Each structure stands twice: as C-alpha cells, then as structure tokens.
Amino acid sequence: MKKKGLAKIPNWVIGLIVTLFFCASFMVGTTGGFLGEIELKAYDFRVKLFSSGIDTDRIAIVAIDEESIKKIGRWPWPRERVAEVVGKLKDDGARVIGLTVLFSEPEESTGLIALKTLKDSFEELSLGGTPQGKTYYEKLNALSAEFDNDAKLADAIKNSANVVLPFAFTGSGIIGGKPPEAPSFIKSGALTALLPPPDETLVLPISGANVLAPIDKLGKVSSSLGHINKYPGIYRDGIDRWEALLIEYGGSYYPSFALSVAANYIGLGNGGLKVDLREGGSIGIGNSTITTDDSLGILINYYDINSSFPVYSFFDVVNGKVSAEAFKDKIVLLGITDIGFGDVAPTPVSPLFTSVERTATVIENLLSGTTIVEPWWSKLTALLAIIIFGLVTTIVLSKTPAMISTIVSASLALVYIGFVLYIFKSQNVWIELIHPPLLVATNFIAITSRRLLFTEKAQIAAESESDEANKLLGLTFQSKGMLEMAFDKFKTLPITDEIKDVLYSLGLDFEKKRNWSQALAVYEKIGDKKFKDIKARLERVTALAAGSGGVVNLKGDSATILNAGGEMPTLGRYEVLSELGRGAMGVVYLGKDPKINREVAIKTVNFDEIEEKMIDTLKERFFREAQSAGTLNHPNILTIFDVGEEGNLAYIAMELIDGKDLEFWTKGDKLLPLKDALLLVATVGDALDFAHTHGIVHGDIKPANIMVTKKNVIKVTDFGIARIQSASQTKTGTVMGTPSYMSPEQVAGDKVDGRSDIFSLGVVLFELLTSKRPFTGESIANIMYNITNKAGTPLSDFRSDLPEFCQALVDKANARDPAKRFQTGGEFSKAIKWCIQKYGTNI
C-alpha cells in the first residue's frame, strides 16, 4: 500500500519539495548549512583559479624574516633597529611607510631602568643644587636619551612624516554603555559619515569594545593610524576572505590600516576618505568609490601566490644591501614574515598567509579597484535560477524521454556554471555557484529514479506469473546470494532435467553457507536419488543438519569456518581460502571473489561478547558505517568492496594489500627522513579530508591503522570498523579510540567531527619524528588527563635538529580547542606542503 501511494504522488510535488529545500538552504547562506560550506570551497576555487599577477610595483615589503632573526637575534629587537630602517626608507624616498607591528607597550631596557632609578635617587637627595650636581644631572639625562629606544623610533617617525601606525579594537561593542575614551591621536583620525534620513536604513559596520593603541610617544608623531583587526570567524571554516574597512567605536568611525595607507599614498590622508552609511554603503577615496557590503567591508581578491610583492630582508635593508630604487616613491610595509613569530592565517590561495602580505594585498585591491563584490542582484540572480531551474526540470523530466531530459538538465547546469565563472573572472562579481546546478542534479535523480523504479516494479509484477519469469528471478536472487528467495521461486516450477540442474546448484550454494537444513530441503525437492550424487549428499547433509540444528553457528574461530565440512566455505559470495590473522573483534581471512577471480581480505566482527540488548543496535550501526565507508573511493583509503552477515558473524570484504603499518617506522632506529615523514602525514591528511567531506569520521587514527604497501602507496585502514569496535567495548567502560592518540573531545565523551582525526594525526606526526608520543602517563587515566589539561611534550625534548615549523604544525594540529586546530585534513596537508616548499633546502 505504501508503494502504491508513493507511485501516485505527482512529479510536480517532488520537484516542488526539492526546489523549496534548495531555496531554504540558499537563504541560510554561506554562514550555515552543508551546502553553504561547499559554496565557500567553490568561491575559494574561483579565487585561486582566476588569481592573476600584480600589475604594478608600487608596494614593497621589508620582512622581519627567519634570516634576519638568525643574524640579528631573537625577536623582538630593540626599537632602535626599527628606527634605523624607518630613517633609511625615508632617505631612499619611500612615499608611505607602514609599520604593521603594533608597539602597545613601552620598551624599557635594563640600562634605562637603572638610569631612571639613579635620577630618582639624585632628586630625592637634592644633589642638583650645586654646579657639579647640575652637570651630573645633565649627563644622566643625556645617557637616558641614549638608552631610550622609543624616543629614537618616535624621532624617526616624526622626521619621516609619512609613517602609518596600526592599532586594534578588542571585543565586539558595548550594549547599553559607553566604551573607554580612545587616545586623542586615534580620535583625530576618525572619519565623518554621511547618514541617511531617520526613515531609511542605516548601514552598521562592526563595532569595538576597547582600543589597543600604540604608545603615546609613537602615536602622536605618526602621520595616520588604522586598525589591523581581522575577522576570519565570519565564515565557519575560518578562512580569511574579508576586510573590515571601517569599525565603529564610541559613535565614531575608524579606517583600516590598509585603507589609511592607501589614502596617504594618493596624498589624501584619512581626511580625504568619505563614508556613506546610507543603504548599500560605500567609501570614497579621492575620485574613486569603493563598493562595500552592509558591514562596510570588502572581499579580498588574492593574487597569484607565485607572483607576490617584492620582499626584502630587514637585515639586508639595515646593512645597505638594497638599492634605494627598490623603495623610491613606493608604499613600503614593514612586517613579520617568519611564521614562528608572525600572525598567519589560511586564505583561499595559501594555508599560511602572513599578515603583512595580506595588508599589501588589500592596499593593492583598493588602489587598483579589483576587490571582489557581491552586489544586491547577485543573490537575486542565484535565487531566481533556483526557482526557474526547479520549475523547468520538473516539467521537462516529467514529460520527455530520458535522453532529452539528460541533455536539458546538463545544459542548464553547464550554462549557469559558465555564466557564474565568466562574471567572476571578468567583473570580480561573486554569484553563488552550487545551489542551482545541484538542484538540477537532485531533481534529475529524484524524478528519473522514481519513474524507472515504479516502471520496473510494474513490469516484474506483470511477468511474475510465468514459469520462465520465476526461473529468471530465482537465478537472479541466487546470483546475489539471496538463496532462500531463490528457492521460493524454484519451488513453483515443474521438475524437469533443467530444473534439477538449477536446484542442484542451489543445494551446493546452501552447503557453502553451511545451511544444512535448507540444502536438505533442496535435494529432497529434486526427488531423484539417481540424479548425479544426490543420494550421498542427502545422507551427509541429513547428518550435519541433525547435529547443528540446521545452520552452523559461526563464531570467530577459523576452524569452525574452514573445517565445517562440505563445499568450499564462503562468507557471502566470497570463498574462504585461509586465515591471515586475528584481531580484537574476530579473524581476518584470505578470500576470493569468484565472480571476478579477485583475492580479498575478509575481516570478521563477532558479536558474541556483546551484551544481548546492544546487539541489534550495534549491528545496525556496523552496517550503516561500513557501507558509508565503502563509498570512499580514494587512492589512499583502503577500499571496502562489500559488507554482510551470516549467523552471528558480520564481515567486511576489502582490498588485500601487502605491506607494513606505520608502527614499523616509529621505532628509534627506523625513523623516516623528515621530508618523507611530512609527505606521508600530508597524504593521510588528504585522505582524511576526502572522508570528512563525505561525512565519515575515522575515530581511531594511529600508526597501526596506516599502512605502506611494497609499492610505497599509503593506505588508511579500518574506516567503518574503529567506531564499531569502540562501541563494543562500552560494557568495560572503555572510551572510543586508542588512548594516546585520542582528542580531548573523545576523552570527554563529546560528539566528535573530522577535527578529532586531525588531532590524532598530529600525534602520529610527532611519533614519526621522534619515536615518542607527546602525551604519556603511568596509566590510561593519567594519559587522558594530560591530553585534556596539558600541552604535549615539545619536539625539542627528543630532537633538537628539527626545524621550528615542525613544532608549529604539531601545536596547531594538537590544539585542545578544535576551533584552533587545522579545520580540515586538506588544510593540514597544504600547510605541510607549503613548509616543505618554503624550507625545502633546509630539510
């Protein structure tokens, strides 16, 4: 009755449901929903695909890089060093100098503190009244000036008269109160805004709750200031795509650092910026207008990572090794590029993008007018496409042949994708890409599959009364291992020599399944003891059926399966050849798929030791997760071919590989070369990224579950098994996962996602590099406590020869807060590959 009722539902109802679902998902936007996340990935793909080189040479970067830190000393340096470079850049003719480092605290050297103490004592003792006392006092003042690096930097900034300094806002605004007063030198840079009439919409930028300013001595002599706040958190994946050009604080509006530098470059200063808070919002800079979104921000158009801004080492600049022509009449940004000390974030073009490079990118976007925009009509265009495509595909798919339906559906999707890509490349306009084509595909699958399904059912019902149809159906069921259903069909057939052969073959299949009672019933149905060896088989299966109750109760004992008697034993359609090994949940066998003559590994899972009330739930979960894992088609994930059940034994048929697991390379004398270990973990990260995007979390990443074949192919194993194995251990109080590799959320018993696997992979990386584990303890409980409450052991405790970036990779992967880790396996992999590319000669 259910199927008949479903068959009566009109196609237009299905099309309407699908269309409404996609409309609702689209209205949620990119900040929520699975499809929103896919759209962000598609946006990043477009940014990277169409990223171009930089056409101008108006920006240069002076980098506080790894080389400079090695030669000058650990950062931070005395500010006298920065003052030297500021003075040199002024002499070289830089038009604007942007210091991206925020000096929010005074520098107090040991000498300066000692002199101040001496001066205070001098004054307390009233020693300045004599001529000799005055002389000493003046000498103390002169020495204090000599040690005052803040004053030297302030003098350099003042003399240059073209230095832009950063400041930052903290928090997200104050409700019902007034924020603390900003320093006067920051307030003087506030912008006036054109407000709409009371009855019109006011554009509201992001607001701040407090100000983190440079010290007064520096801020008062700068030519301009701008905020350096970044907001990657507006997107759930944490990718940095957006710049807040304006932030509101205490009723005033303050420009970003990049916007302030751009204004100074064209000779306007902050006073030349015009803010329009009327509906739509915009910022005028000279004769140009920057189109912003409703929060007075812009989407950053990142350039080709292989065509970056010219970067000069701080050490080379301060030692006069760089020509003045490199900086003449240009914007020069001074900032940190060493990832061990600087501020880095993932972007659409790179997993590790430094703050100073990001600032240069935004400035170039503003000056060249190449920001990415999302105008009001882009959302409307995508929504109309969803509605129109939903209506068109519903009508066409319901009334046209399959070939025409396919052509129309594919054409709609391809034309839309082509239009969206063209408008992005030519106009820098973001129109959402994913929803309309995916709607077309979903409608096509839903309506076409439904039409084919019910047509096929009707045909089978019409033909099922004939003997030939029953025979064919029985043979089909038999070929799929559905032996009882096959026998039901064969029972209706008259017994002929042909049908005797058919039944004899079915009896052999029941013997392979060790189902002696059913084999006996089939041989009795043949009714001819002279046919082939029926007489002998009847005697043997009669005895076996009487001894076993009809069906052998399979357990995880290889002898039970391999030596039960009769034909070659099978699990499902697979012939069991020999035992390969034993694990916590059962036995692993060497098997063969007779259909394609392929050898496979068959891993059995025995439910005998599980509490009876949990068996049904656990089996359902086992099949659901194993079947999901079977959809993972990736070169670095062990392929699952099939999953099934016989008696109380479930099994998984999977790819048979010849190799070793990673535990072999975690021994002190077997450690891999650094580059090989990094590339191996990057490969596993890509495999996990693929699984996570398909909604599958492994839950037990460890060296034993990662194999390397003899052809050096990496395979992640036990998808679909780790979680069921952990669940089977709940009656002993064991938590899911292997303790030393578990994430804090696993230890706490919280719901986990793909970031839990990233944590475990970070532990694997640590062990591959040191042969040790970062979290240890005298007991499992102690290990779990350390995972949730303490930082892991530093790599340097075991190996002092590793580059600093190795610790940075491990720290980010093993962050206790999942939001602070690499958010995806792909992000982890990209970060590793970027480090290998950047530091390749030192690895």
Side-chain angles (χ1 to χ4, degrees), residues 499-518:
I499 299 305
K500 287 180 183 178
D501 274 324
V502 170
L503 288 170
Y504 183 86
S505 172
L506 181 64
L508 296 181
D509 283 348
F510 274 123
E511 283 196 58
K512 292 177 181 178
K513 298 294 184 185
R514 299 156 301 282
N515 193 335
W516 314 122
S517 59
Q518 283 287 58

PDB file of all heavy atoms in Angstrom, residues 499-518:
ATOM      1  N   ILE A 499      15.527 -28.034 -14.490  1.00  0.00           N
ATOM      2  CA  ILE A 499      15.283 -27.500 -13.154  1.00  0.00           C
ATOM      3  C   ILE A 499      16.032 -28.306 -12.105  1.00  0.00           C
ATOM      4  O   ILE A 499      16.472 -27.764 -11.076  1.00  0.00           O
ATOM      5  CB  ILE A 499      13.769 -27.470 -12.851  1.00  0.00           C
ATOM      6  CG1 ILE A 499      13.059 -26.555 -13.863  1.00  0.00           C
ATOM      7  CG2 ILE A 499      13.506 -26.965 -11.432  1.00  0.00           C
ATOM      8  CD1 ILE A 499      13.624 -25.152 -13.942  1.00  0.00           C
ATOM      9  N   LYS A 500      16.253 -29.623 -12.344  1.00  0.00           N
ATOM     10  CA  LYS A 500      17.076 -30.419 -11.426  1.00  0.00           C
ATOM     11  C   LYS A 500      18.486 -29.833 -11.340  1.00  0.00           C
ATOM     12  O   LYS A 500      19.072 -29.736 -10.249  1.00  0.00           O
ATOM     13  CB  LYS A 500      17.129 -31.877 -11.896  1.00  0.00           C
ATOM     14  CG  LYS A 500      15.835 -32.668 -11.674  1.00  0.00           C
ATOM     15  CD  LYS A 500      16.005 -34.098 -12.187  1.00  0.00           C
ATOM     16  CE  LYS A 500      14.701 -34.887 -12.031  1.00  0.00           C
ATOM     17  NZ  LYS A 500      14.840 -36.272 -12.568  1.00  0.00           N
ATOM     18  N   ASP A 501      19.045 -29.466 -12.507  1.00  0.00           N
ATOM     19  CA  ASP A 501      20.371 -28.844 -12.502  1.00  0.00           C
ATOM     20  C   ASP A 501      20.367 -27.535 -11.720  1.00  0.00           C
ATOM     21  O   ASP A 501      21.321 -27.228 -10.972  1.00  0.00           O
ATOM     22  CB  ASP A 501      20.829 -28.588 -13.948  1.00  0.00           C
ATOM     23  CG  ASP A 501      21.522 -29.801 -14.549  1.00  0.00           C
ATOM     24  OD1 ASP A 501      22.234 -30.496 -13.810  1.00  0.00           O
ATOM     25  OD2 ASP A 501      21.346 -30.033 -15.751  1.00  0.00           O
ATOM     26  N   VAL A 502      19.293 -26.773 -11.911  1.00  0.00           N
ATOM     27  CA  VAL A 502      19.186 -25.490 -11.210  1.00  0.00           C
ATOM     28  C   VAL A 502      19.131 -25.707  -9.700  1.00  0.00           C
ATOM     29  O   VAL A 502      19.830 -25.052  -8.918  1.00  0.00           O
ATOM     30  CB  VAL A 502      17.943 -24.717 -11.705  1.00  0.00           C
ATOM     31  CG1 VAL A 502      17.678 -23.503 -10.816  1.00  0.00           C
ATOM     32  CG2 VAL A 502      18.113 -24.278 -13.148  1.00  0.00           C
ATOM     33  N   LEU A 503      18.290 -26.682  -9.272  1.00  0.00           N
ATOM     34  CA  LEU A 503      18.156 -26.962  -7.845  1.00  0.00           C
ATOM     35  C   LEU A 503      19.443 -27.557  -7.272  1.00  0.00           C
ATOM     36  O   LEU A 503      19.829 -27.251  -6.130  1.00  0.00           O
ATOM     37  CB  LEU A 503      16.977 -27.919  -7.609  1.00  0.00           C
ATOM     38  CG  LEU A 503      15.579 -27.308  -7.812  1.00  0.00           C
ATOM     39  CD1 LEU A 503      14.512 -28.400  -7.806  1.00  0.00           C
ATOM     40  CD2 LEU A 503      15.282 -26.276  -6.733  1.00  0.00           C
ATOM     41  N   TYR A 504      20.124 -28.404  -8.024  1.00  0.00           N
ATOM     42  CA  TYR A 504      21.371 -28.998  -7.561  1.00  0.00           C
ATOM     43  C   TYR A 504      22.400 -27.899  -7.273  1.00  0.00           C
ATOM     44  O   TYR A 504      23.087 -27.915  -6.241  1.00  0.00           O
ATOM     45  CB  TYR A 504      21.893 -29.961  -8.620  1.00  0.00           C
ATOM     46  CG  TYR A 504      23.160 -30.689  -8.222  1.00  0.00           C
ATOM     47  CD1 TYR A 504      23.107 -31.860  -7.481  1.00  0.00           C
ATOM     48  CD2 TYR A 504      24.414 -30.205  -8.595  1.00  0.00           C
ATOM     49  CE1 TYR A 504      24.272 -32.522  -7.103  1.00  0.00           C
ATOM     50  CE2 TYR A 504      25.574 -30.866  -8.234  1.00  0.00           C
ATOM     51  CZ  TYR A 504      25.495 -32.030  -7.486  1.00  0.00           C
ATOM     52  OH  TYR A 504      26.650 -32.686  -7.127  1.00  0.00           O
ATOM     53  N   SER A 505      22.503 -26.929  -8.192  1.00  0.00           N
ATOM     54  CA  SER A 505      23.421 -25.809  -7.986  1.00  0.00           C
ATOM     55  C   SER A 505      23.046 -25.019  -6.739  1.00  0.00           C
ATOM     56  O   SER A 505      23.923 -24.598  -5.962  1.00  0.00           O
ATOM     57  CB  SER A 505      23.402 -24.887  -9.210  1.00  0.00           C
ATOM     58  OG  SER A 505      24.136 -23.716  -8.974  1.00  0.00           O
ATOM     59  N   LEU A 506      21.726 -24.844  -6.506  1.00  0.00           N
ATOM     60  CA  LEU A 506      21.282 -24.115  -5.325  1.00  0.00           C
ATOM     61  C   LEU A 506      21.637 -24.883  -4.049  1.00  0.00           C
ATOM     62  O   LEU A 506      22.056 -24.291  -3.041  1.00  0.00           O
ATOM     63  CB  LEU A 506      19.772 -23.874  -5.395  1.00  0.00           C
ATOM     64  CG  LEU A 506      19.155 -23.093  -4.227  1.00  0.00           C
ATOM     65  CD1 LEU A 506      19.718 -21.678  -4.186  1.00  0.00           C
ATOM     66  CD2 LEU A 506      17.633 -23.059  -4.338  1.00  0.00           C
ATOM     67  N   GLY A 507      21.495 -26.227  -4.080  1.00  0.00           N
ATOM     68  CA  GLY A 507      21.849 -27.041  -2.929  1.00  0.00           C
ATOM     69  C   GLY A 507      23.322 -26.903  -2.580  1.00  0.00           C
ATOM     70  O   GLY A 507      23.700 -26.822  -1.393  1.00  0.00           O
ATOM     71  N   LEU A 508      24.199 -26.871  -3.600  1.00  0.00           N
ATOM     72  CA  LEU A 508      25.635 -26.669  -3.351  1.00  0.00           C
ATOM     73  C   LEU A 508      25.892 -25.323  -2.692  1.00  0.00           C
ATOM     74  O   LEU A 508      26.750 -25.214  -1.797  1.00  0.00           O
ATOM     75  CB  LEU A 508      26.408 -26.775  -4.669  1.00  0.00           C
ATOM     76  CG  LEU A 508      26.385 -28.127  -5.393  1.00  0.00           C
ATOM     77  CD1 LEU A 508      27.225 -28.049  -6.667  1.00  0.00           C
ATOM     78  CD2 LEU A 508      26.895 -29.238  -4.495  1.00  0.00           C
ATOM     79  N   ASP A 509      25.167 -24.290  -3.135  1.00  0.00           N
ATOM     80  CA  ASP A 509      25.342 -22.962  -2.523  1.00  0.00           C
ATOM     81  C   ASP A 509      24.936 -22.966  -1.052  1.00  0.00           C
ATOM     82  O   ASP A 509      25.585 -22.337  -0.206  1.00  0.00           O
ATOM     83  CB  ASP A 509      24.517 -21.918  -3.282  1.00  0.00           C
ATOM     84  CG  ASP A 509      25.180 -21.508  -4.589  1.00  0.00           C
ATOM     85  OD1 ASP A 509      26.360 -21.857  -4.789  1.00  0.00           O
ATOM     86  OD2 ASP A 509      24.517 -20.851  -5.410  1.00  0.00           O
ATOM     87  N   PHE A 510      23.834 -23.667  -0.722  1.00  0.00           N
ATOM     88  CA  PHE A 510      23.441 -23.757   0.681  1.00  0.00           C
ATOM     89  C   PHE A 510      24.499 -24.497   1.493  1.00  0.00           C
ATOM     90  O   PHE A 510      24.748 -24.163   2.665  1.00  0.00           O
ATOM     91  CB  PHE A 510      22.095 -24.474   0.814  1.00  0.00           C
ATOM     92  CG  PHE A 510      20.910 -23.569   0.666  1.00  0.00           C
ATOM     93  CD1 PHE A 510      19.938 -23.804  -0.290  1.00  0.00           C
ATOM     94  CD2 PHE A 510      20.754 -22.470   1.511  1.00  0.00           C
ATOM     95  CE1 PHE A 510      18.833 -22.963  -0.420  1.00  0.00           C
ATOM     96  CE2 PHE A 510      19.666 -21.635   1.390  1.00  0.00           C
ATOM     97  CZ  PHE A 510      18.705 -21.871   0.410  1.00  0.00           C
ATOM     98  N   GLU A 511      25.146 -25.516   0.912  1.00  0.00           N
ATOM     99  CA  GLU A 511      26.206 -26.214   1.613  1.00  0.00           C
ATOM    100  C   GLU A 511      27.380 -25.278   1.901  1.00  0.00           C
ATOM    101  O   GLU A 511      27.989 -25.332   2.976  1.00  0.00           O
ATOM    102  CB  GLU A 511      26.697 -27.417   0.785  1.00  0.00           C
ATOM    103  CG  GLU A 511      25.764 -28.614   0.849  1.00  0.00           C
ATOM    104  CD  GLU A 511      26.453 -29.879   0.356  1.00  0.00           C
ATOM    105  OE1 GLU A 511      27.493 -30.245   0.928  1.00  0.00           O
ATOM    106  OE2 GLU A 511      25.945 -30.456  -0.588  1.00  0.00           O
ATOM    107  N   LYS A 512      27.718 -24.439   0.913  1.00  0.00           N
ATOM    108  CA  LYS A 512      28.813 -23.486   1.116  1.00  0.00           C
ATOM    109  C   LYS A 512      28.504 -22.528   2.261  1.00  0.00           C
ATOM    110  O   LYS A 512      29.417 -22.052   2.947  1.00  0.00           O
ATOM    111  CB  LYS A 512      29.071 -22.690  -0.163  1.00  0.00           C
ATOM    112  CG  LYS A 512      29.639 -23.517  -1.302  1.00  0.00           C
ATOM    113  CD  LYS A 512      29.798 -22.675  -2.548  1.00  0.00           C
ATOM    114  CE  LYS A 512      30.336 -23.493  -3.714  1.00  0.00           C
ATOM    115  NZ  LYS A 512      30.461 -22.691  -4.952  1.00  0.00           N
ATOM    116  N   LYS A 513      27.208 -22.251   2.440  1.00  0.00           N
ATOM    117  CA  LYS A 513      26.799 -21.369   3.536  1.00  0.00           C
ATOM    118  C   LYS A 513      26.603 -22.137   4.841  1.00  0.00           C
ATOM    119  O   LYS A 513      26.195 -21.554   5.845  1.00  0.00           O
ATOM    120  CB  LYS A 513      25.486 -20.647   3.192  1.00  0.00           C
ATOM    121  CG  LYS A 513      25.567 -19.746   1.987  1.00  0.00           C
ATOM    122  CD  LYS A 513      26.469 -18.586   2.227  1.00  0.00           C
ATOM    123  CE  LYS A 513      26.465 -17.628   1.048  1.00  0.00           C
ATOM    124  NZ  LYS A 513      27.446 -16.549   1.224  1.00  0.00           N
ATOM    125  N   ARG A 514      26.885 -23.459   4.808  1.00  0.00           N
ATOM    126  CA  ARG A 514      26.726 -24.310   5.974  1.00  0.00           C
ATOM    127  C   ARG A 514      25.295 -24.343   6.488  1.00  0.00           C
ATOM    128  O   ARG A 514      25.036 -24.552   7.659  1.00  0.00           O
ATOM    129  CB  ARG A 514      27.695 -23.859   7.093  1.00  0.00           C
ATOM    130  CG  ARG A 514      29.152 -23.958   6.681  1.00  0.00           C
ATOM    131  CD  ARG A 514      30.051 -23.047   7.454  1.00  0.00           C
ATOM    132  NE  ARG A 514      29.677 -21.647   7.323  1.00  0.00           N
ATOM    133  CZ  ARG A 514      29.977 -20.905   6.247  1.00  0.00           C
ATOM    134  NH1 ARG A 514      30.649 -21.412   5.257  1.00  0.00           N
ATOM    135  NH2 ARG A 514      29.593 -19.650   6.177  1.00  0.00           N
ATOM    136  N   ASN A 515      24.331 -24.107   5.577  1.00  0.00           N
ATOM    137  CA  ASN A 515      22.915 -24.163   5.931  1.00  0.00           C
ATOM    138  C   ASN A 515      22.399 -25.534   5.514  1.00  0.00           C
ATOM    139  O   ASN A 515      21.810 -25.724   4.452  1.00  0.00           O
ATOM    140  CB  ASN A 515      22.147 -23.045   5.217  1.00  0.00           C
ATOM    141  CG  ASN A 515      20.752 -22.846   5.783  1.00  0.00           C
ATOM    142  OD1 ASN A 515      20.176 -23.764   6.363  1.00  0.00           O
ATOM    143  ND2 ASN A 515      20.230 -21.647   5.624  1.00  0.00           N
ATOM    144  N   TRP A 516      22.669 -26.517   6.418  1.00  0.00           N
ATOM    145  CA  TRP A 516      22.422 -27.908   6.035  1.00  0.00           C
ATOM    146  C   TRP A 516      20.935 -28.205   5.869  1.00  0.00           C
ATOM    147  O   TRP A 516      20.552 -28.982   4.976  1.00  0.00           O
ATOM    148  CB  TRP A 516      23.027 -28.848   7.084  1.00  0.00           C
ATOM    149  CG  TRP A 516      24.415 -28.469   7.499  1.00  0.00           C
ATOM    150  CD1 TRP A 516      24.847 -28.192   8.748  1.00  0.00           C
ATOM    151  CD2 TRP A 516      25.558 -28.330   6.649  1.00  0.00           C
ATOM    152  NE1 TRP A 516      26.184 -27.881   8.767  1.00  0.00           N
ATOM    153  CE2 TRP A 516      26.652 -27.964   7.466  1.00  0.00           C
ATOM    154  CE3 TRP A 516      25.771 -28.482   5.279  1.00  0.00           C
ATOM    155  CZ2 TRP A 516      27.932 -27.747   6.978  1.00  0.00           C
ATOM    156  CZ3 TRP A 516      27.046 -28.269   4.790  1.00  0.00           C
ATOM    157  CH2 TRP A 516      28.103 -27.905   5.607  1.00  0.00           C
ATOM    158  N   SER A 517      20.077 -27.626   6.696  1.00  0.00           N
ATOM    159  CA  SER A 517      18.643 -27.933   6.603  1.00  0.00           C
ATOM    160  C   SER A 517      18.057 -27.453   5.278  1.00  0.00           C
ATOM    161  O   SER A 517      17.234 -28.148   4.663  1.00  0.00           O
ATOM    162  CB  SER A 517      17.882 -27.287   7.777  1.00  0.00           C
ATOM    163  OG  SER A 517      18.057 -25.880   7.766  1.00  0.00           O
ATOM    164  N   GLN A 518      18.472 -26.291   4.810  1.00  0.00           N
ATOM    165  CA  GLN A 518      17.969 -25.799   3.532  1.00  0.00           C
ATOM    166  C   GLN A 518      18.534 -26.621   2.370  1.00  0.00           C
ATOM    167  O   GLN A 518      17.852 -26.881   1.384  1.00  0.00           O
ATOM    168  CB  GLN A 518      18.334 -24.328   3.355  1.00  0.00           C
ATOM    169  CG  GLN A 518      17.471 -23.369   4.154  1.00  0.00           C
ATOM    170  CD  GLN A 518      16.077 -23.222   3.584  1.00  0.00           C
ATOM    171  OE1 GLN A 518      15.338 -24.198   3.448  1.00  0.00           O
ATOM    172  NE2 GLN A 518      15.699 -21.993   3.243  1.00  0.00           N
TER     173      GLN A 518
END
